Amino acid sequence: MLRTRNLIPKNTFLIDDSDTEVDSPILEPITPTKNKKRTRNDSASVLLTPPQSVPKKKLKLELSEKVTVEKEEEEESSYAPPSPCATPQRALFGRDSLYSRTKAVLQRSAGILSNNDGCLPTRQAQYEKIMDFLNTNIKSHTSNSLYLTGPPGTGKTAQVDSIQRTHLLPECPRSMKSTGSSSHLLHNQSYFQLSNGDVETVSLSSINCIALNEPSHIFTKIFESFSNDEKYPHPVTTMSDLQQFLELFPQSRTFIVVLDEMDKLVRSSTNSTHSTKTIFELFLLSKLPSINFLLIGIANSLDMTDRFLSRLNLRQDLMPETIVFQPYSSDEMYQIIMNRINLVDSTDCVFNPMAIKFAAKRCSGNTGDLRKLFDVLKSSIEVVELQVLANLKKNKASDVKIVKIGLPHVAKVFSQFMNISSTRSRINKLNMQQRILLCSLVHRQRTDIFQSHCSLDDAYDYYVKLLRRKDSLTPLKRNEFLDICNALETCGVVTIFTGKSSGKTKHLVKMVKATIDDKEFDDEISKSDLLKSFLKD
């Protein structure tokens, strides 16, 4: 058996790992001990050949400092800067990249960009007329009505919203007196600053008529938007009820009601006589001398007052003032786009100016809808992003520069959106909600073989019934449904046009129709079990 003494070199000493401080080190040769087991501390001991006598604690501190320095040197040697191939991707596709910031200002839901006075670019004439209407009637405390009309995407709603944000003050100025003891019964209290600097007390409510199931509910909706009194004695369901409520407040307070999509109050699925009566009473309410009520109606129908309000023609004093928003020209579209892009970076633009002019020319000649120009330009950026990303993966380049969007990229987007590409490629670009909506339109067309198109309202009702019958998804809201229909039209799979409604009273409504190749559509939809279920009878 080999003894421990032979395992340790001669003149080798063991330093104890205790923290006890002594005047001189105790260095003893190791001698084996009988019947003593080797402990963990023994195996962890440090064997040294000391060149000189050194205090225990000092030696321990020197060793710990040496270990710390070695670790820091190892960490410094192991640190490496980020790989250069990852940096370009973050610069090009990150949240703060030039591509991402440009797409953000081209979103349909991006904030309204206006001048300091609230005027939208290229809409100076319409802005001045709206402001003159508000200044005159709010200052004189008289009731009146205004009707804003024009094709979709021409800035009607955006201009009214911009005026609200700019000229409405949320808090009462100190120079103003109290508006009366009944002011606590109202929601939406604010203060309108006139052009001459004076401030008047107003209560403003904006209502989108798409959300109304029945036109007659508009009076209840207006009451609920203003009233803060839960103990009001009776419900408000008619024009007379709303008039009695408004008469409770002094005429120094102006009630302003903005009705967006006002032409939706007249639907083919409802009784046209009652619908006409409701709209007539709204304009009549804005002419009563006993209240201070301003009505601002916004609609796409250019001749709504002529078709549905023939009773108003008998009394010209009841006719609303009308302001027409004409479709944007290509020069106006170009100016608006450049104003938005300059907010991102006025020195470096991701677009070639000729590409923007080309897209504006195509969109202005088609519909004059500014929102579709936003969609085309945003999609053009995404086309370039995909190309740059493919080059990064293929070439593994470490230095990639911003690629500007030119005419070929914009032309490629138009070729996809303007019915030039196949149905298969267009469907592949749709998300699931858009595909489900398209399936509901196709299912309705195949069910009613005698009429391939229908109104947007009828299409929405059919879509809701289909989803509830399948009991698989929750239907979208009406305004979300209309937004997706506009997106589908931009993608070229549906067509939205103006046509005559069914029924005894013929009037113009927005119609929708799917424009797809049936065989390619069935081939693509059959790849998804969920989508196939929406086409089964």
Side-chain angles (χ1 to χ4, degrees), residues 280-350:
F280 171 79
E281 289 178 344
L282 284 171
F283 284 105
L284 180 62
L285 189 66
S286 63
K287 297 294 183 178
L288 297 178
S290 60
I291 59 176
N292 189 4
F293 180 78
L294 295 182
L295 175 66
I296 300 178
I298 304 174
N300 300 329
S301 301
L302 297 174
D303 57 345
M304 190 184 77
T305 54
D306 296 333
R307 290 186 292 110
F308 300 111
L309 303 180
S310 56
R311 296 170 62 183
L312 294 179
N313 291 326
L314 302 178
R315 294 185 56 183
Q316 291 298 320
D317 58 324
L318 297 182
M319 291 294 292
E321 299 180 25
T322 303
I323 300 177
V324 179
F325 282 70
Q326 298 293 344
Y328 287 107
S329 64
S330 59
D331 293 337
E332 291 174 339
M333 286 184 170
Y334 176 78
Q335 179 182 344
I336 295 171
I337 295 298
M338 292 307 299
N339 288 341
R340 285 179 174 263
I341 294 179
N342 288 337
L343 294 176
V344 178
D345 193 340
S346 59
T347 59
D348 190 12
C349 176
V350 297

Side-chain angles (χ1 to χ4, degrees), residues 235-397:
V236 175
T237 57
T238 64
M239 184 197 76
S240 300
D241 297 335
L242 182 59
Q243 177 185 350
Q244 294 178 11
F245 170 74
L246 297 178
E247 288 176 347
L248 297 176
F249 303 92
Q251 285 198 329
S252 59
R253 173 181 295 273
T254 302
F255 290 91
I256 305 175
V257 175
V258 180
L259 297 183
D260 199 4
E261 303 290 348
M262 191 176 184
D263 49 353
K264 300 302 179 183
L265 293 177
V266 182
R267 301 193 181 117
S268 59
S269 59
T270 58
N271 191 317
S272 59
T273 303
H274 292 299
S275 302
T276 304
K277 178 177 178 292
T278 299
I279 297 180
F280 171 79
E281 289 178 344
L282 284 171
F283 284 105
L284 180 62
L285 189 66
S286 63
K287 297 294 183 178
L288 297 178
S290 60
I291 59 176
N292 189 4
F293 180 78
L294 295 182
L295 175 66
I296 300 178
I298 304 174
N300 300 329
S301 301
L302 297 174
D303 57 345
M304 190 184 77
T305 54
D306 296 333
R307 290 186 292 110
F308 300 111
L309 303 180
S310 56
R311 296 170 62 183
L312 294 179
N313 291 326
L314 302 178
R315 294 185 56 183
Q316 291 298 320
D317 58 324
L318 297 182
M319 291 294 292
E321 299 180 25
T322 303
I323 300 177
V324 179
F325 282 70
Q326 298 293 344
Y328 287 107
S329 64
S330 59
D331 293 337
E332 291 174 339
M333 286 184 170
Y334 176 78
Q335 179 182 344
I336 295 171
I337 295 298
M338 292 307 299
N339 288 341
R340 285 179 174 263
I341 294 179
N342 288 337
L343 294 176
V344 178
D345 193 340
S346 59
T347 59
D348 190 12
C349 176
V350 297
F351 283 97
N352 186 323
M354 291 303 300
I356 299 178
K357 291 182 179 180
F358 169 74
K361 194 75 174 178
R362 290 286 302 270
C363 290
S364 64
N366 187 14
T367 59
D369 191 341
L370 184 64
R371 298 171 298 183
K372 293 186 178 180
L373 178 59
F374 289 159
D375 294 340
V376 170
L377 295 180
K378 186 163 64 68
S379 300
S380 301
I381 299 178
E382 294 172 352
V383 169
V384 173
E385 285 180 325
L386 292 176
Q387 293 180 355
V388 174
L389 187 60
N391 292 335
L392 278 175
K393 293 181 178 179
K394 181 178 180 181
N395 303 325
K396 297 182 179 180

